Amino acid sequence: PPPPRRPGDCWDECHGQSGPCPVFCGAGRACCRTGYLVPEPLRPDFGRTAYGCPATACDGYHCCVADAPFPPSPPPSAPPSPPPPPSPPP
C-alpha cells in the first residue's frame, strides 16, 4: 500500500501541480513545497519556483499556503509611429 499522506498534503487534490489551487486550497492560496522547481519550457535543465508559490512553503511535501504574486506583466509596447505626412508637390 502507498505510504500514508501527510496532514495538509495537497498534491493529489491539486492534480499533481504546484501553484494556485483555489478548489482545494481556497481563493488566494496555492499548493506549494519548499525547493520544488518546475521546468522551464525552453530550458528543461533549469527550474523555477511554480507561479503563485512563495520561496518557502512546507518541507518535503506540498501544502496549501498564501499565494505569492505572479511576476508582473511586461509593459505594453508603444504603438507604431504614424507615417510622416506626404511632401507637398513641387
Side-chain angles (χ1 to χ4, degrees), residues 8 12 29 33 49 52 55 60 68 76 81:
D12 291 335
R29 298 184 60 77
R33 183 180 97 191
T49 301
S81 299

Side-chain angles (χ1 to χ4, degrees), residues 7-89:
D9 191 328
C10 56
W11 182 252
D12 291 335
E13 288 80 359
C14 295
H15 309 289
Q17 295 183 359
S18 281
C21 183
V23 173
F24 181 77
C25 294
R29 298 184 60 77
C31 181
C32 304
R33 183 180 97 191
T34 300
Y36 183 80
L37 300 177
V38 294
E40 287 286 351
L42 301 177
R43 295 187 56 199
D45 59 325
F46 180 77
R48 62 165 171 75
T49 301
Y51 288 123
C53 286
T56 57
C58 293
D59 292 327
Y61 67 101
H62 282 76
C63 63
C64 296
V65 294
D67 63 4
F70 285 81
S73 299
S77 59
S81 299
S87 299

